[in-house]
Amino acid sequence: MHSTSGSTSTGRHPVYRGVRRRSSGKWVSEIREPKKPNRIWLGTYPTPEMAAVAYDVAVLALKGKDAELNFPNSASSLPVPATLSPRDIQMAAASAAAAAGAAKDALNAEGSSSSQGNINKSNENNNNNVPSSSMAHDFVDEDLIFDMPNVLVNMAEGMLLSPPPFDIGGGEDEPENMDDEPSLWNFP
């Protein structure tokens, strides 16, 4: 019998694939290996988005570019596991989830920093230099946000692209005698 437990308390997420909620309120992610009964545990996360990003990394590694992703527009920025071993997939998934969490925290900090800045200015005017409560949350791990472990790989892949063709001659609208054309090299 198929149970349709409410997705608001525990169970599968109503939108994200590979994500379910535990009774503790945390979100977990796992994926079944293709053509095998084994599952790869991708972790427990505080938000469903972090668990969904972890799933996206794993499904992309296991099923390729045709996989159905939770966030299809971010596929190119996801880390790629070193191998298809469950351990490497778990590490890449955890890295992506941590980056998603750090990015969300950074965005939340930016949104509250403008209002916090006004509070700090009013505190300075009152000579009341009480450190703000958000100071403890100001650290942002930029390595995770900008995918620093893979930045050199991505740069190297960019260098392997062929440059666009530069057609020097042979065009139909080219003059037959190139000597009659002024050249930039002839100017003083």
Side-chain angles (χ1 to χ4, degrees):
M1 180 174 174
H2 181 66
S3 172
T4 57
S5 64
S7 60
T8 56
S9 59
T10 61
R12 291 177 44 174
H13 192 275
V15 176
Y16 299 130
R17 296 174 172 275
V19 176
R20 61 186 167 85
R21 188 174 188 165
R22 290 237 168 128
S23 58
S24 65
K26 298 213 178 193
W27 297 89
V28 298
S29 182
E30 62 186 349
I31 188 169
R32 185 179 304 276
E33 292 184 75
K35 300 179 183 176
K36 294 183 181 178
N38 305 340
R39 291 181 184 259
I40 299 174
W41 180 254
L42 301 173
T44 303
Y45 303 100
T47 67
E49 292 79 14
M50 290 173 72
V53 168
Y55 176 83
D56 281 359
V57 169
V59 76
L60 196 58
L62 293 172
K63 296 184 179 177
K65 64 180 179 171
D66 296 329
E68 291 185 44
L69 302 175
N70 292 311
F71 303 105
N73 294 336
S74 65
S76 63
S77 65
L78 294 175
V80 177
T83 68
L84 292 181
S85 73
R87 182 71 185 133
D88 285 342
I89 291 173
Q90 288 170 334
M91 288 175 45
S95 172
K104 183 178 179 184
D105 289 346
L107 290 174
N108 288 342
E110 278 183 22
S112 66
S113 68
S114 61
S115 62
Q116 192 65 37
N118 294 337
I119 292 170
N120 287 342
K121 286 179 186 175
S122 67
N123 286 345
E124 288 172 11
N125 292 341
N126 295 335
N127 291 329
N128 191 9
N129 293 329
V130 177
S132 70
S133 62
S134 70
M135 294 296 273
H137 303 296
D138 282 349
F139 174 75
V140 175
D141 191 353
E142 293 175 350
D143 288 351
L144 292 175
I145 292 174
F146 297 113
D147 191 26
M148 294 307 283
N150 291 329
V151 76
L152 292 177
V153 172
N154 294 339
M155 288 172 59
E157 287 174 357
M159 296 298 291
L160 294 175
L161 295 175
S162 299
F166 184 71
D167 191 16
I168 294 177
E172 295 170 7
D173 56 348
E174 293 285 326
E176 289 184 26
N177 188 356
M178 290 293 288
D179 295 333
D180 295 340
E181 289 292 313
S183 171
L184 290 176
W185 300 110
N186 294 337
F187 291 105

